[in-house]
Amino acid sequence: MAGAADGPLPRRSVCDGKDAGMDGGQSEQSTFKLHSSHWGIFSARRNGDRLDVRPYADDPDPSPMLGNFTNALNHPARIAQPMIRQGWLERGAGPDARRGREAFVPVSWDVVTDLLAGELRRVRDGHGPGAVFGGSYGWASAGRFHHAQSQIHRFLNIAMGGYVRSVNSYSAGASAVIVPHVLGDYSGLTMHNVTWQQVAEETEVVLAFGGLALKNSAVAGGGISQHVERGAIAAARARGCRFLLFGPLRPDMPAEAEAEWINLVPGTDTALMLALVYCLVKDNKHDIGFLERYCVGWEKFEAYVLGVTDGQPKTAAWAEAISGVPAAQIAAIASQLAGKRVLVTVAHSLQRSEHGEQPVWMGAVLAAVLGQYGLPGGGFGYAMGAIGYYGRRNNAVPGPTLGQGQNGVEDFIPVARIADMLLNPGERYRYNGETRRYPDIRLVYWAGGNPFHHHQDLNRLRQAFARVDTLVVHEQAWTATARHADIVLPATMSLEREDIGYSSNDPVMVAMHRLAEPYGEARDDYTIFAGLAAALDVGERFTEGRDSRAWLAHLYERTRSALEAQNLPAPGFAEFWEQGKLVVPQKPDDGGYLRAFRDDPDTHPLKTPSGRIEIYSETIAGFGEADCPPHPAWMDKRSAPDRAAPFYLVANQPATRLHSQLDFGAFSQSSKHRGREVATLHPADAAAKGIADGDIIKLFNQRGACLAAARLSDGVSPGVIQLATGAWYDPQDPEDEKPLCVHGNPNVLTLDVGTSNLAQGCTGQLTAVNVEKFEGNLPPIRAYEPPRGALLKAGD
Ligand code: PGD
């Protein structure tokens, strides 16, 4: 496995993916139909048990993740029929530590619908809708109608009178809260700001904190027709643009960037950015005109940078001691920025750790010090490259959206506080300046997400899920979340239903034709909820008398009538469906709200209290949080390595699947070694631990342990181990309190704490661990086998 140092995993083009079951696009087939996925638009046809897949013809850089569809339809990991945990069936609803440890009993749809409707009625009438957690976070599948979260929220609003929801995301838990305080509009910052075309044409220097990894921009919710990042980066580089990658993983920047790698200790970007500002100020190269006209609070922040307020000037030497980057290198970088069209980018990953608000705020301030906000290709491109629909033009007409109705419950939690909520009902916590209380949840209902993938400290999550009366999960496959449920309802894949694929920053709207019949007795989420709604006497309100096809026509009408209003060709639904796609117009590349703000800050103030960029926030000062001061600052982390756990674990996004989706798919499987997820570490660290390339290793800390396969690479910083998320949790002995995950799910190791009292975001990206060579007999991988009792397939 050595030699693959510069890619997180060997990259294979979709067009040479024969062994992953891809159709190379050589033969003309009339039966290929257009479809969409979060990793791109494609066409496919059923071929026996397999799916032949072709990337979208106009996509210059299609994602090899499409290869995961080829063997997915009939994989044994699919769920074939409704299942109920034996203990729930025999002993009824109630807290139960046997979740995830017991056999399942297959039941018919009629039986499960009856039992579940009864349980929903019991909780609603006995405890009220505020005892239902329907946050149900997760990416689910592309398609605007069968969007699992919209469906579940609509159902709970109509049938239960509401539910406790979650706010923000695991992707951007800290930035979604800090950005409105600093720059006003989060959505505008990410969705309507600097574009890749501007980078290709205008940017002179890109300071990429956390990189611009193409594995991340391969993904875009809803599906996109073109992956443009690689081409734009290559074009910018050919023009002479300089790319600097700040981070511990060299593969976080594509080779086309020919980036200078500033190899820093994970989580120390804020210190390094502070030192860049210090150097700029000392050399009088900060843009004082910009800071005075467009910002508030510079003086207070400058006093902190210079050490006036805390006695510690944030010099390059100070930052070297924290980040490991030589002071001379920091000073040299700072000296080459002024007067250039500089774009500062900060990856989502940086804010997915303790004090994750700081690098985002600090990135915004560094960009202000350089004064390039609002200029083409300059300023602050937060999260550029993190998702494929960032850095692109916006569509000029609205897309289809399923209304979710009114939620009668006001209560919510920040999404990553789910285990805290279930373990500590009634307990107080702080969030964005408020003191709130966790609700007392009896029933958790999940559709379209996998908390046993996305949450931290999975052993703690198991304890949390043991506390509820009932856990209901709709799933396509036997994920660990499904295995921990009481009631498991088999859901179709998008390939097995009709839908509309759409993303608001991509012009191609796709008529997603059905490519295969549902697996076993699987039903789409809409049909499942329609059945339950009928059993709860609200069937008509939920369906509004429409079947799926009628809903698609109804949702499409929003776009059609907007086109008509603009005197543009506006084909009816039947024509759209027949054609397979519709290309919608896009708005001009106008630089968004930051350009308007630069042009005239009085007419177009930011949506911050001052209307300016808030380098110092009086609002945050008023919150009085010790872990989130009123201006960006460097703070030590609890998760930093120590003697017991001397390595940083970077648990980042995978390159061969989206999160945990289709981990059993051919492309994801092709990246495993001896069945395990691959962890990358520096050869010097491996040598010190007696680990050779390809060895099975055990990663461990006080929270848990998992196995992985070692790959050695100097593309990873010494002292760092990289293990992507998404390998399905596979406890060696589920009876244990802290079982060994034999497969390589890093979330058995991560710390379940919020970023700070301000945002309470997910901190899963960085954790301290230890590592050793695994010498025992290699346990089998059972994550993709149906659990006990679930072996019956439909028709058996
Ligand atoms: P997915 O694997 O996409 O992960 O967490 P998320 O829960 O979104 O889960 C989606 C699930 O939905 C899959 O199990 C899939 O089978 C199911 N599904 C797909 N389509 C349908 C459908 O139509 N109906 C139903 N009922 N189910 C469906 C992602 C989350 O993980 C995110 S966004 C991020 S950014 C976080 N990243 C990290 C990280 O960087 N580091 C760590 N340690 N942890 C993270 N967790 C977070």
Side-chain angles (χ1 to χ4, degrees):
M1 297 203 307
D6 282 334
L9 289 163
R11 189 173 182 279
R12 197 155 7 143
S13 146
V14 263
C15 293
D16 67 3
K18 281 284 182 209
D19 49 342
M22 304 288 286
D23 180 277
Q26 306 301 317
S27 55
E28 279 308 311
Q29 298 289 339
S30 58
T31 50
F32 275 86
K33 289 181 183 157
L34 210 56
H35 209 76
S36 191
S37 70
H38 295 319
W39 40 100
I41 296 175
F42 64 101
S43 55
R45 65 169 179 190
R46 181 95 196 233
N47 183 358
D49 260 8
R50 302 181 63 76
L51 198 73
D52 294 335
V53 177
R54 282 182 188 169
Y56 190 63
D58 290 346
D59 192 340
D61 192 20
S63 168
M65 285 184 225
L66 289 170
N68 282 331
F69 280 134
T70 57
N71 65 331
L73 284 170
N74 272 3
H75 195 281
R78 294 291 307 274
I79 304 172
Q81 61 195 113
M83 293 279 176
I84 300 185
R85 183 173 63 85
Q86 196 165 0
W88 193 91
L89 209 48
E90 290 171 1
R91 300 188 291 278
D96 197 339
R98 303 292 307 148
R99 286 195 180 98
R101 296 170 162 124
E102 262 185 352
F104 282 90
V105 179
V107 290
S108 69
W109 275 109
D110 283 349
V111 167
V112 83
T113 304
D114 241 33
L115 285 172
L116 179 51
E119 174 61 358
L120 290 169
R121 215 178 272 117
R122 178 188 78 83
V123 174
R124 181 189 64 192
D125 299 345
H127 303 281
V132 177
F133 182 68
S136 194
Y137 178 81
W139 267 67
S141 297
R144 298 313 308 156
F145 174 59
H146 293 293
H147 177 243
Q149 276 72 48
S150 303
Q151 291 289 349
I152 190 174
H153 296 160
R154 181 180 160 79
F155 168 76
L156 292 174
N157 286 337
I158 290 172
M160 303 294 281
Y163 59 94
V164 174
R165 67 199 159 96
S166 57
V167 296
N168 308 328
S169 65
Y170 278 77
S171 299
S175 53
V177 178
I178 190 72
V179 165
H181 290 291
V182 177
L183 292 167
D185 181 357
Y186 178 81
S187 163
L189 182 68
T190 50
M191 297 292 274
H192 187 179
N193 185 11
V194 176
T195 59
W196 284 106
Q197 192 169 345
Q198 292 174 31
V199 172
E201 293 170 0
E202 306 275 358
T203 312
E204 291 174 276
V205 182
V206 178
L207 302 178
F209 292 89
L212 299 166
L214 297 181
K215 68 181 171 60
N216 297 339
S217 50
V219 167
I224 50 173
S225 58
Q226 300 204 358
H227 293 87
V228 300
E229 293 76 7
R230 189 190 300 276
I233 288 170
R237 181 68 198 132
R239 196 177 37 73
C241 176
R242 195 177 155 209
F243 289 87
L244 282 78
L245 160 65
F246 298 84
L249 308 176
R250 190 167 59 204
D252 276 344
M253 198 62 116
E256 287 79 356
E258 298 175 324
E260 296 150 57
W261 181 25
I262 292 91
N263 181 355
L264 50 67
V265 172
T268 62
D269 306 74
T270 302
L272 196 139
M273 288 190 242
L274 280 164
L276 289 176
V277 171
Y278 179 92
C279 295
L280 285 159
V281 171
K282 279 292 173 192
D283 291 348
N284 208 18
K285 286 188 172 164
H286 55 316
D287 190 336
I288 197 70
F290 185 89
L291 293 166
E292 281 174 358
R293 178 148 194 234
Y294 296 98
C295 306
V296 292
W298 168 249
E299 298 74 18
K300 286 180 181 151
F301 179 70
E302 187 184 37
Y304 167 74
V305 171
L306 297 178
V308 178
T309 41
D310 65 353
Q312 174 58 67
K314 310 303 174 297
T315 61
W318 168 81
E320 175 178 342
I322 296 168
S323 67
V325 179
Q329 193 177 8
I330 297 173
I333 293 169
S335 72
Q336 293 154 2
L337 299 177
K340 296 254 171 59
R341 186 62 51 84
V342 183
L343 178 66
V344 177
T345 66
V346 171
H348 274 330
S349 57
L350 267 59
Q351 50 89 64
R352 215 174 290 133
S353 73
E354 277 179 87
H355 308 305
E357 296 82 0
Q358 302 309 313
V360 180
W361 198 351
M362 190 57 223
V365 171
L366 174 60
V369 167
L370 293 165
Q372 303 286 295
Y373 271 92
L375 296 174
F380 187 43
Y382 173 70
M384 230 177 141
I387 302 191
Y389 50 48
Y390 293 164
R392 296 162 60 106
R393 287 164 60 192
N394 301 164
N395 293 349
V397 287
T401 312
L402 180 67
Q404 298 182 8
Q406 274 303 109
N407 188 345
V409 176
E410 284 183 3
D411 212 353
F412 67 84
I413 57 161
V415 67
R417 302 279 39 89
I418 178 164
D420 282 359
M421 171 187 74
L422 297 177
L423 290 167
N424 307 299
E427 191 165 292
R428 289 166 200 265
Y429 68 99
R430 296 277 299 162
Y431 170 70
N432 206 9
E434 291 181 351
T435 299
R436 307 181 56 84
R437 268 180 201 277
Y438 287 123
D440 189 359
I441 297 297
R442 303 300 172 110
L443 184 140
V444 173
Y445 205 136
W446 222 285
N450 184 6
F452 273 87
H453 153 66
H454 66 233
H455 197 62
Q456 287 56 66
D457 196 349
L458 294 183
N459 290 320
R460 184 169 186 257
L461 184 68
R462 269 161 53 110
Q463 290 168 12
F465 275 151
R467 300 288 284 267
V468 300
D469 289 354
T470 298
L471 172 57
V472 189
V473 172
H474 295 194
E475 248 302 344
Q476 303 166 345
W478 281 109
T479 62
T481 304
R483 287 166 199 270
H484 283 79
D486 300 308
I487 297 179
V488 181
L489 302 179
T492 51
M493 298 178 71
S494 75
L495 306 167
E496 298 160 343
R497 58 200 186 210
E498 297 179 339
D499 215 324
I500 299 177
Y502 180 81
S503 160
S504 58
N505 279 7
D506 189 278
V508 181
M509 181 188 281
V510 178
M512 296 167 64
H513 287 261
R514 179 182 288 120
L515 297 161
E517 290 305 309
Y519 179 75
E521 295 178 20
R523 293 181 177 176
D524 56 61
D525 296 293
Y526 174 67
T527 306
I528 298 173
F529 286 130
L532 279 168
L536 291 164
D537 303 322
V538 290
E540 181 64 25
R541 273 182 65 204
F542 182 74
T543 63
E544 297 182 12
R546 296 187 189 96
D547 63 12
S548 289
R549 179 68 78 88
W551 270 107
L552 297 187
H554 176 68
L555 300 185
Y556 173 80
E557 179 57 21
R558 185 164 177 246
T559 306
R560 198 207 60 79
S561 55
L563 287 168
E564 193 175 62
Q566 294 183 31
N567 288 323
L568 292 166
F573 177 75
E575 192 184 335
F576 160 65
W577 197 253
E578 172 73 22
Q579 294 293 322
K581 69 176 180 184
L582 174 74
V583 179
V584 301
Q586 292 202 291
K587 293 180 185 162
D589 185 0
D590 64 1
Y593 79 102
L594 291 171
R595 173 91 45 90
F597 171 64
R598 182 180 192 103
D599 289 347
D600 187 348
D602 298 322
T603 312
H604 302 289
L606 301 184
K607 291 181 195 148
T608 55
S610 62
R612 300 291 190 260
I613 298 171
E614 300 229 344
I615 294 177
Y616 182 98
S617 164
E618 294 289 355
T619 309
I620 293 178
F623 294 165
E625 307 294 4
D627 56 4
C628 190
H631 59 68
W634 168 250
M635 276 173 286
D636 290 327
K637 298 179 173 54
R638 266 188 285 175
S639 56
D642 56 18
R643 274 169 67 91
F647 294 90
Y648 265 116
L649 175 73
V650 176
N652 59 355
Q653 304 298 329
T656 55
R657 57 185 173 257
L658 167 62
H659 305 309
S660 68
Q661 294 202 31
L662 303 178
D663 186 32
F664 52 85
F667 187 58
S668 180
Q669 287 298 308
S670 72
S671 69
K672 312 258 176 184
H673 180 65
R674 296 169 75 190
R676 320 293 131 163
E677 192 65 17
V678 171
T680 311
L681 68 165
H682 195 273
D685 291 332
K689 290 280 183 180
I691 294 167
D693 194 71
D695 278 351
I696 300 301
I697 52 175
K698 180 171 147 187
L699 304 171
F700 57 99
N701 61 20
Q702 66 198 64
R703 288 173 291 282
C706 71
L707 300 185
R711 180 174 60 192
L712 311 191
S713 166
D714 64 2
V716 171
S717 198
V720 172
I721 302 174
Q722 176 267 330
L723 176 62
T725 56
W728 282 15
Y729 175 63
D730 197 343
Q732 183 175 26
D733 182 356
E735 297 297 328
D736 285 353
E737 207 186 319
K738 291 185 177 180
L740 172 74
C741 171
V742 302
H743 187 190
N745 184 329
N747 276 326
V748 297
L749 302 160
T750 51
L751 188 63
D752 184 10
V753 296
T755 49
S756 78
N757 279 334
L758 183 85
Q760 298 285 6
C762 155
T763 56
Q765 185 81 185
L766 281 187
T767 309
V769 296
N770 208 339
V771 65
E772 66 189 19
K773 185 173 171 176
F774 180 71
E775 306 276 11
N777 290 332
L778 202 50
I781 299 289
R782 291 176 306 192
Y784 315 117
E785 289 170 15
R788 274 188 299 146
L791 294 167
L792 292 180
K793 262 197 183 180
D796 284 357

